[in-house]
Amino acid sequence: MFRELFRSKNKYVTVNRDPQYSDRSEHETEKVPEIRERVKVEKEGDHLWTKCKSCQEIIYNKKLAENQMVCPVCDYHFRISARDRINSLLDEDSFIELFSEVTSTNPLNFKGYAEQLEKNQKKTNLRDAVITGRGKLCGTPVALGVMDFGFAGGSMGSAVGEKLTSLIEYAASKRLPLVIISTAGGARMQEGMLSLMQMAKTSAALARYAKAGLLYISVLTDPTSGGVTASYAMLGDINIAEPGALIAFAGPRVIKQTISQELPEGFQTAEFLLEHGMVDRVVHRHELQDELSRILRIHRMVGEVS
Amino acid sequence: MFRELFRSKNKYVTVNRDPQYSDRSEHETEKVPEIRERVKVEKEGDHLWTKCKSCQEIIYNKKLAENQMVCPVCDYHFRISARDRINSLLDEDSFIELFSEVTSTNPLNFKGYAEQLEKNQKKTNLRDAVITGRGKLCGTPVALGVMDFGFAGGSMGSAVGEKLTSLIEYAASKRLPLVIISTAGGARMQEGMLSLMQMAKTSAALARYAKAGLLYISVLTDPTSGGVTASYAMLGDINIAEPGALIAFAGPRVIKQTISQELPEGFQTAEFLLEHGMVDRVVHRHELQDELSRILRIHRMVGEVS
Amino acid sequence: MNLNILDFERPIYELESKIEELKNFMKEQNIDLTEEIQLLEDKMVKVSETIYQKLHPWQILQIARHPERPLTSDYIQLICDDFLELHGDRHYGDDQAILGGIGLIEGNPVTIIGHQKGTTTRENLQRNFGMAHPEGYRKALRLMKQAEKFNRPIITFINTPGAYPGIGAEERGQAEAIARNLLEMSELTVPILVYVIGEGGSGGALGIGVGDRIIMFQFSYYSVCTPEACATILWHDTQEAKNASEALRITAKDLLEIGIVDDVLQEPRGGAHRNPVAMAKNLKQSILQNLVHLKTLSKEELIAQRYSKFRNTGQYLDIQINQSNQI
Amino acid sequence: MNLNILDFERPIYELESKIEELKNFMKEQNIDLTEEIQLLEDKMVKVSETIYQKLHPWQILQIARHPERPLTSDYIQLICDDFLELHGDRHYGDDQAILGGIGLIEGNPVTIIGHQKGTTTRENLQRNFGMAHPEGYRKALRLMKQAEKFNRPIITFINTPGAYPGIGAEERGQAEAIARNLLEMSELTVPILVYVIGEGGSGGALGIGVGDRIIMFQFSYYSVCTPEACATILWHDTQEAKNASEALRITAKDLLEIGIVDDVLQEPRGGAHRNPVAMAKNLKQSILQNLVHLKTLSKEELIAQRYSKFRNTGQYLDIQINQSNQI
Ligand SMILES: [Zn+2]
Ligand SMILES: [Zn+2]
């Protein structure tokens, strides 16, 4: 099943590989399909335009994609696919995907899970809910993990946990700065406790990474919740959130059910988290690359006295 | 002036000295005057009885003193002198005073300060607002510092800071557990910035002490506020407070002035601090010795597997 | 009638009543019924064994949530020679849904931290039914760091439906508090024993659940989410909760098989609540055995073992390797 | 009329106005008044020097509190090549009375943390007039630990009337937060430079004030409590504040003498607010010089020096020694 799935997809002509890294084999990066196509997929329809959820403006999908999926009228940040995100951040052709061979299985024989995985793989042309790899951000080499909400609600199962942990370990071994861009509904229920334990696994890897004195920037995007928020997404040396993003441990629906009352205005938005001390900065998507680059620059020069 | 002052006071016959410790000379411990006399002094009058501030009961001073200055009717904890405290906690004749030679001076030539010091010394028969030394608590050797609110409101000047810092360093060098019993109005204004810096000095000493893996128990008693709370009094591995004790950074009067509104019931009491996570336990004075002894016992056995 | 009798316990309960009846009758009437009683007792043991050997996960869940099931505080009382509760996170509050402190077990100093439910409605409100706020996890971390400083092993007791989902909890960083604990616990240089004594609910359980040994009580459960939540989210039907309890594989037996837990601690017949003293004895023995073993490891070995333990959780397909094998 | 002119500044201000007037007149009427202007300017310099050389502490206090005095954010903007503010304590909130972040000064990475007042009433309310809550001190500590991790020197700017005395601040442990910072800062393994740029109010100032160099701006003050509080507490008379400002010895000159501070940074004529750019230039030079020196020390040396620095503060009588001397 899997071989077919990946054979059918387009491929780049061979891309740069990292010759030093031999612990794990690398996979050719997947060809990024044309932007308009993906937008259509994400809108789950064949419309050429999208209605902004915030200002109700009708926006052409092409224009939306050109604007990094940000509403040109009101700056509402639409969800963006992992591939688009990588393209928007990294220097052209610099991305080398790593650990792409790691894919979810159905360890508990959970009813319907295998089919769901297959459906999501076909829908997104991804193997699982995260892409991991290395690349250059304004010239600086980084290890990068990007989640995709389109794949099973960005949920974290064994594969996501394994890929991110491998990435963190890779970054530690190469002494690379690490950027993880999260979006997730939480742990992947269909893998039961195996999913939950990925929280501990990724966090333990980050503990080691931190002890090596290396820089981890966590970027939280709409929505990030549950076990992902309660593990690697909150553990950045610097936590950055996108404007308006919902960031939570327990989602608003669960809380409303529990306390049976309305939630405060702006509850669990990026701005709310900034005010409550959980994130360092709220950064517009258009400025994210520049921000990351500035942070990397400040950290690269450590130890050098002018 | 000082020589006269200390000549006039009663002395114990020579007490046990610690022969190993030579960095600083030790002083003979001061004779503890009869309890009833001190109570009278503390009540600032010659009455043989005291009216309980809490339940208004009239209590004979002798009975109050026998009850460790706790109201036998309502358990209100009266302030207790440093010497009484030492007697109530340590094994008989085990206390060896250290650093008693360190006394306040008037470094800023602050108007009236010299006279105030002299008055307080005469009133309390103490050299300054803290007694430091070593002794045995239910058989376990400890380094002990006890503040006395009767001396200039237990305020921390250079001498208090120096004595406590010396005690902490002494405890570190001897690998002794450390107990400091605080009561203070804060930093001693008349020594200006020299007082404020005692906060940093004592805290730095505690940092070193902690790094050596040693146990510091801070006991906060009525009242502890200002720079003392905001330094060593809050830095215990275990913070213990006496019931009803006022414990604050900014005192209630200052806060009332600032916010111009009534303070909540029980604000800044020991129980309030327990609820707000700042102290580990609120312990009745009658049980303090037993509690300390249990904590010491648990820490003494570290590393020994049965 | 005891309202706390679970459905599947009823046959046992009825036999017990009958035995009690006969005993009383024998005493009052001075008639020898020893043989009859013995027969009934034998039967009861058999019935019990049959029932408890093939409990459905849903039934185990009921035992794990049993209102009379012993709590963290009960075990502490039963296994410690001395114990002092320590309060507060030093930042915001003292969360009573998590209980922690220092004590001695057979003379060994330990730090014990556990979720704490109440026994009465009032206490349950005070303890928030064992659902902690961030300050609970931060108190736990403070006490764990303190344990590390004094080279004291840490024992945690998991017994929570989950971390509390409320406004204040979110405001004060429930996610941050749990995440921080996962990170810090993975590198503490003292042995950590984790016991799931009742409910192991999701991230709220894991928040004090990273350790060198994860041991489940026989009739406890540990789950990525409550079966009820799973049923609602996946199938939009709370009636499916029983099926979810099976599908999620939440029992000690399941999780031992999957490799999530290291050991299962047998409970007395009918569950821990039927004999807390016997349960505590098993627990104490397990603690002492594990500590003796873990204390032989150096700090570096301890942390390295703990790292691999969690590093190796998860089941996934490695396509690259499969392909290689096929070529 | 500029309402922000202090009384003792008035002669200078009047001379300045006159010079301005003459210049305009000269331009409009095309009459050469160069000589007259030069005379007035010379006079102004002389008058300034006289005034600023013998300012009473109370007057210095007025300059330190001057509404136009440059703030932490101003200096950051003037001395950094790049700067990113980082927010939050990760526990409770983001206290805007303390500003912190990372940046580059002449290419050197630094972490900068300072009290931040506002310039408008609205901003002052938002910034709480530079009076921090516990979350401010905890944010500062978080950023300092981060700096330590990345081996980045720390620069703090003190400018607060004091830590905020309020209900929430007490509830969340104002005392604990400050005490913790004192302890932790004493052992951070990176250089810490502390600049008192305006008001150095009590424990609220010291809470970010433990460092390897404590340097006061010429017209700043640093005090165990505000002179107003001292007057009220000791003499029950706020009118005595001026006397208290003298008695407490709160000026840079005093504190250099007493040995509390290591250096005094000269301000431009009339104070920093009259020429922020020149002040920032002095500051930047001081920072770079001090960093170059401190970076030559090993971590152990750095911490040892910092320890002795604070260990040796205080003046007291050692009777034992006196007695010994007399025998
Ligand atoms: Zn819009
Ligand atoms: Zn009374």
Side-chain angles (χ1 to χ4, degrees), chain A residues 209-216 234 236-239 274-281 291 294-295 297-306, chain D residues 82-95 102-110 142-143 146 149-152 288 291-292 295:
Chain A
Y209 180 82
K211 220 165 207 175
L214 297 164
L215 172 70
Y216 166 37
M234 264 298 156
D237 293 302
I238 296 175
N239 291 342
L274 182 73
E275 198 184 313
H276 286 87
M278 301 302 153
V279 301
D280 287 289
R281 296 174 72 80
E291 283 257 338
R294 284 167 67 197
I295 295 169
R297 193 165 58 236
I298 290 169
H299 284 80
R300 211 167 24 170
M301 296 188 166
V302 164
E304 301 164 18
V305 189
S306 72
Chain D
D82 191 11
F83 185 79
L84 283 128
E85 187 177 354
L86 301 178
H87 294 273
D89 66 347
R90 294 282 197 278
H91 279 68
Y92 181 85
D94 180 51
D95 188 343
I102 53 175
L104 299 171
I105 301 178
E106 297 285 340
N108 294 286
V110 290
R142 178 177 78 84
L143 297 180
Q146 187 190 77
K149 175 181 172 187
F150 294 108
N151 202 22
R152 226 174 8 232
L288 292 171
L291 286 187
V292 165
K295 282 186 176 178

Side-chain angles (χ1 to χ4, degrees), chain B residues 52-57 59 71-76 78:
Chain B
C52 174
K53 283 177 190 172
S54 176
C55 72
Q56 318 298 326
E57 183 82 9
I59 319 158
C71 172
V73 178
C74 75
D75 266 346
Y76 175 79
F78 286 82

Side-chain angles (χ1 to χ4, degrees), chain B residues 183-195:
Chain B
T183 171
R188 195 172 291 170
M189 254 178 282
Q190 295 88 340
E191 294 184 26
M193 282 299 291
L194 291 166
S195 290

Side-chain angles (χ1 to χ4, degrees), chain B residues 60-227:
Chain B
Y60 278 101
N61 287 345
K62 191 180 167 186
K63 189 156 185 186
L64 192 55
E66 281 168 0
N67 204 35
Q68 293 182 299
M69 301 301 290
V70 174
C71 172
V73 178
C74 75
D75 266 346
Y76 175 79
H77 284 50
F78 286 82
R79 289 170 191 167
I80 181 171
S81 76
R83 287 202 190 85
D84 280 354
R85 176 74 73 174
I86 292 168
N87 285 340
S88 78
L89 286 179
L90 296 191
D91 304 347
E92 219 181 326
D93 288 341
S94 74
F95 185 64
I96 300 166
E97 192 174 351
L98 298 168
F99 321 117
S100 67
E101 65 276 20
V102 176
T103 316
S104 289
T105 172
N106 187 2
L108 310 188
N109 286 314
F110 201 97
K111 191 174 69 183
Y113 183 42
E115 295 73 24
Q116 195 198 348
L117 282 175
E118 205 175 334
K119 202 183 89 189
N120 276 285
Q121 285 160 340
K122 284 203 172 123
K123 183 182 82 174
T124 59
N125 209 2
L126 293 170
R127 279 218 189 87
D128 218 300
V130 71
I131 298 180
T132 48
R134 63 172 292 164
K136 286 188 176 176
L137 195 151
C138 301
T140 304
V142 292
L144 180 68
V146 183
M147 299 187 74
D148 197 308
F149 197 76
F151 192 104
S155 60
M156 170 172 61
S158 299
V160 170
E162 177 64 22
K163 287 177 84 167
L164 286 173
T165 304
S166 299
L167 181 75
I168 297 162
E169 289 177 337
Y170 173 82
S173 76
K174 299 281 179 205
R175 298 198 66 78
L176 283 178
L178 171 70
V179 178
I180 298 178
I181 300 181
S182 297
T183 171
R188 195 172 291 170
M189 254 178 282
Q190 295 88 340
E191 294 184 26
M193 282 299 291
L194 291 166
S195 290
L196 192 77
M197 286 300 168
Q198 303 308 310
M199 293 168 64
K201 173 168 153 182
T202 50
S203 302
L206 284 173
R208 286 197 163 186
Y209 179 81
K211 219 165 208 174
L214 298 165
L215 172 70
Y216 166 38
I217 306 171
S218 171
V219 181
L220 300 98
T221 70
D222 185 65
T224 303
S225 69

